[in-house]
Amino acid sequence: MTEMIEIPDAEADWEPATDLQAGGRNPVRQASMFQSATWPLSSLALLSVDLEAVARRLKLTLETSWDGRGSVRAAFFVLDGTDFVVTHHEGDAPGTHVWTRKGGPVDPAARAGVLLAALGVGPEAVSYSVWGVGTDLRHVPAAWSRGRGKPTRSHQDLWADFKRSPELFVGRVSFGAVVAFLYGYDIASDKALLDGFREWLAAKLGYGRNLVYWVLAEKLLFPDGRPEEPWSPETEQHAVAGLIGLLDGYFDHLASDPEERRRSEVDR
């Protein structure tokens, strides 16, 4: 059984999510199940948190209904411009299924990150996800079953495919989209991709160990300063190719230094 993650209680000044007054402190606004009945939904993640705890934290009102798998409790809400649904079926193992409106955010990992931040938990709360090929798909939750299994793939296979055709993974290829994909994959694979990458970039720069990896990468890729936005297609292409090249360099570094690779795996 997956170990459940504790969620802090709601902030003292958060009003109920059903309170639609302007200027509210609660980051979510709830919609009723009746209002949202026509939403086409896509599965996003299974969180190792209790649905009741999610409701307490976000001050949601849980509603009860049923579907082909039996009785289900759910809450529909909007957070940072994304329509979310959290559910749990009676009789299922503990955990909270997270869904979004189909055709919604093109960056599921980043949207999930917004939800995790609102819940006050980290990526360790993600048990399964749709964005991470590193997820053990042999044990996809029953609520996601569509009658066909999905094959597992290695991190190496994923990286080779991503380098060859990033547009298949992120749609319109941009530096921001690639960063978001890498972030989501890193969460889903338990830091199998980016662990130690930030420190390696900082060592190349000679400073910046307190900066996130994409800022460090930008400083290496644009030594004369970050270009003003919006970036041109040529600038985006340069940044994406440069980031992929930096990651390849980091992987080569790990491959040539077995001791550092071992330390990285132990730390993870």
Side-chain angles (χ1 to χ4, degrees):
M1 179 182 296
T2 303
E3 182 179 356
M4 300 296 282
I5 304 295
E6 296 269 338
I7 295 181
D9 288 335
E11 301 297 327
D13 58 352
W14 285 7
E15 70 283 355
T18 53
D19 188 342
L20 301 181
Q21 295 182 13
R25 299 288 185 175
N26 192 337
V28 311
R29 289 293 174 265
Q30 184 163 0
S32 74
M33 188 178 293
F34 176 78
Q35 290 172 308
S36 309
T38 59
W39 285 10
L41 300 176
S42 294
S43 56
L44 180 66
L46 171 64
L47 304 183
S48 300
V49 296
D50 184 73
L51 182 61
E52 293 281 354
V54 171
R56 285 196 304 271
R57 167 68 178 176
L58 301 180
K59 292 201 168 182
L60 299 166
T61 298
L62 293 176
E63 300 177 87
T64 302
S65 186
W66 66 92
D67 59 17
R69 299 188 55 252
S71 177
V72 59
R73 304 189 74 197
F76 295 71
F77 59 93
V78 179
L79 169 62
D80 195 32
T82 295
D83 297 310
F84 286 99
V85 187
V86 287
T87 68
H88 180 78
H89 279 85
E90 184 180 16
D92 273 1
T96 296
H97 293 275
V98 182
W99 311 76
T100 57
R101 189 191 294 230
K102 190 171 292 185
V106 297
D107 178 10
R111 294 301 88 196
V114 170
L115 178 58
L116 294 178
L119 292 176
V121 296
E124 68 278 0
V126 179
S127 293
Y128 302 95
S129 65
V130 296
W131 66 83
V133 180
T135 299
D136 185 354
L137 297 175
R138 295 169 301 177
H139 304 292
V140 171
W144 293 5
S145 175
R146 296 296 182 269
R148 177 179 295 181
K150 297 181 180 180
T152 58
R153 301 171 65 202
S154 71
H155 304 309
Q156 292 85 354
D157 287 343
L158 179 283
W159 182 241
D161 287 348
F162 182 82
K163 288 193 299 180
R164 182 166 53 250
S165 302
E167 69 277 3
L168 298 179
F169 295 82
V170 300
R172 189 179 72 84
V173 179
S174 67
F175 184 76
V178 170
V179 165
F181 172 81
L182 295 176
Y183 171 77
Y185 184 86
D186 198 49
I187 291 176
S189 62
D190 194 21
K191 297 185 178 180
L193 186 69
L194 300 178
D195 192 34
F197 184 49
R198 179 171 62 88
E199 292 77 7
W200 182 77
L201 292 174
K204 288 178 71 69
L205 275 171
Y207 65 92
R209 292 180 65 88
N210 61 320
L211 299 176
V212 293
Y213 84 85
W214 57 89
V215 171
L216 296 171
E218 287 178 353
K219 291 182 179 297
L220 286 166
L221 298 173
F222 302 107
D224 295 328
R226 189 179 191 275
E228 292 186 4
E229 294 183 335
W231 287 2
S232 68
E234 293 76 18
T235 299
E236 293 281 10
Q237 184 178 9
H238 168 76
V240 169
L243 179 57
I244 290 175
L246 286 170
L247 271 165
D248 267 341
Y250 176 59
F251 298 151
D252 289 344
H253 167 71
L254 289 180
S256 64
D257 189 343
E259 180 61 23
E260 180 165 338
R261 183 174 182 176
R262 185 193 67 78
R263 288 196 301 269
S264 176
E265 291 173 349
V266 169
D267 291 341
R268 190 164 68 242

